[in-house]
Amino acid sequence: MSGAPIKSVGILGSGIMAGGIAEVVARAGVRAILRARSEASATASVNGVAAGLARQVEKGKLDASERDRILANISTTTDLAALSGCDLLIESVVEDLETKQRLFRDLDAVTNPSAVLATNTSTLPVVEMAKVVKNPERVCGIHFFNPAQVLPLVEVVRPVTAGDETIRRAAEFVSTIGKDGVHVLDRAGFIVNALLFPYLNNAVRMFEDGTASMADIDTAMKGGCNFPMGPFALLDLVGLDTSLSILETLHASFGHENFAPRPMLRELVAKGRLGRKTKAGFYEY
Ligand code: CAA
């Protein structure tokens, strides 16, 4: 596999993470092509990026010319074949293994064989995506945190199948876009989610038990640990559907009851209260 620097990145998906990743890539002067299944969702995602940049211009934190440069580096498509010239592909679609595997098969057929194929999965085994492509050496995880524009960390995940050159190029890319990369093996939850989600789940248990109110648990963890947000605000930020699926995967992998999703989380998801993105989760927005 050629070790050429990464000059253009295809981003698959149109959710909060895909838009955030596109912005980070474009800000670093690297071309970002955002591919969604429909033109409407691709446009909505880029409009979200544009709105965030406009707020920064209003606050005087970003020049209008810099905003224009970032936006000019982002294009959209619905056609997978339009990603054939990309050096790196970052999949950030729904956390469903079959959907991701289908996409990896399709990407394998249309992308340059020297391109790195990465997944932004939070907890699914990266090796399961590597398995479906002809050359599994070119597959790894590049896992961003929400909001991707703000949080400095990116986990570079190495499945057993990955080539050293793939991991080297992924780590180099992470550093090019100004993020702090850490290396981790392909275990459920990698570093951050494996440690974070038992804590978030136990906060829900504490509220269910009647030990304290949600607001007081949030205040306690902010004031007592200097965390930027309490657990309920963070669950609402991550999305309760995403949180539920992360806990289910962690529970299936490790079996410990700390990972078994709490009933209240399941109930809120069943009611369609998915957090900030639906304007209601543990809190109302
Ligand atoms: N998109 C873009 N920028 C955002 C943003 C967003 N969604 N939210 C906040 N920002 C920016 C703001 O514009 C602001 O930028 P400036 O300083 O340049 O103006 C900056 O971030 C700080 O924001 P605020 O002043 O509005 O608010 P804050 O100081 O309370 O920060 C926060 C908000 C960045 C979200 C902060 O509370 C935080 O870091 N919370 C913890 C988030 C966290 O732990 N995320 C990890 C979740 S786990 C995960 O993502 C893994 C997974 O796989 C699910």
Side-chain angles (χ1 to χ4, degrees):
M1 188 183 301
S2 107
I6 283 157
K7 296 206 177 100
S8 69
V9 180
I11 296 148
L12 292 300
S14 58
I16 296 171
M17 293 310 289
I21 296 168
E23 179 181 327
V24 170
V25 168
R27 205 179 262 272
V30 178
R31 269 208 73 63
I33 309 177
L34 189 136
R35 187 269 180 180
R37 279 173 305 172
S38 76
E39 206 50 74
S41 56
T43 307
S45 191
V46 176
N47 286 347
V49 172
L53 294 175
R55 271 195 301 276
Q56 289 187 28
V57 173
E58 270 164 38
K59 286 199 234 165
K61 299 206 161 168
L62 186 74
D63 287 344
S65 61
E66 178 66 358
R67 173 205 52 203
D68 295 344
R69 185 192 66 79
I70 297 169
L71 288 173
N73 270 342
I74 306 178
S75 56
T76 61
T77 185
T78 55
D79 182 9
L80 270 191
L83 306 179
S84 62
C86 292
D87 308 306
L88 166 67
L89 289 302
I90 304 177
E91 167 280 309
S92 187
V93 303
V94 64
E95 287 285 271
D96 173 68
L97 186 55
E98 272 181 37
T99 308
K100 287 185 191 281
Q101 285 180 323
R102 208 174 315 123
L103 189 54
F104 269 77
R105 268 190 213 101
D106 293 345
L107 282 173
D108 199 27
V110 299
T111 53
N112 184 331
S114 71
V116 171
L117 300 180
T119 171
N120 180 47
T121 184
S122 311
T123 36
L124 293 171
V126 178
V127 72
E128 294 298 323
M129 285 155 253
K131 233 157 71 172
V132 303
V133 308
K134 280 192 228 71
N135 174 14
E137 283 201 7
R138 67 178 178 131
V139 176
C140 68
I142 297 185
H143 181 221
F144 289 80
F145 292 82
N146 185 4
Q149 298 92 328
V150 182
L151 294 202
L153 185 73
V154 174
E155 292 173 322
V156 176
V157 185
R158 178 192 278 268
V160 284
T161 43
D164 289 345
E165 186 59 4
T166 299
I167 299 300
R168 189 196 64 73
R169 291 179 80 199
E172 186 180 83
F173 162 74
V174 168
S175 143
T176 302
I177 59 170
K179 296 289 186 190
D180 300 330
V182 290
H183 289 272
V184 56
L185 295 181
D186 188 18
R187 308 265 158 77
F190 314 132
I191 298 174
V192 174
N193 286 340
L195 295 175
L196 175 65
F197 274 83
Y199 150 70
L200 296 176
N201 204 34
N202 274 315
V204 181
R205 180 206 306 271
M206 187 178 268
F207 173 66
E208 287 171 340
D209 288 349
T211 305
S213 69
M214 280 193 271
D216 280 353
I217 295 171
D218 273 356
T219 301
M221 295 314 289
K222 283 197 289 180
C225 295
N226 218 8
F227 287 177
M229 318 177 102
F232 294 98
L234 183 53
L235 282 160
D236 278 352
L237 175 76
V238 169
L240 304 193
D241 50 344
T242 304
S243 300
L244 178 59
S245 100
I246 289 173
L247 281 164
E248 280 171 339
T249 310
L250 288 168
H251 190 232
S253 183
F254 297 120
H256 195 284
E257 75 160 315
N258 270 340
F259 295 110
R262 297 304 305 167
M264 189 179 176
L265 183 61
R266 288 192 187 282
E267 273 165 33
L268 290 171
V269 172
K271 285 181 185 154
R273 291 178 66 113
L274 306 182
R276 281 197 194 189
K277 62 187 166 188
T278 57
K279 311 239 180 293
F282 285 101
Y283 297 115
E284 311 267 334
Y285 297 89

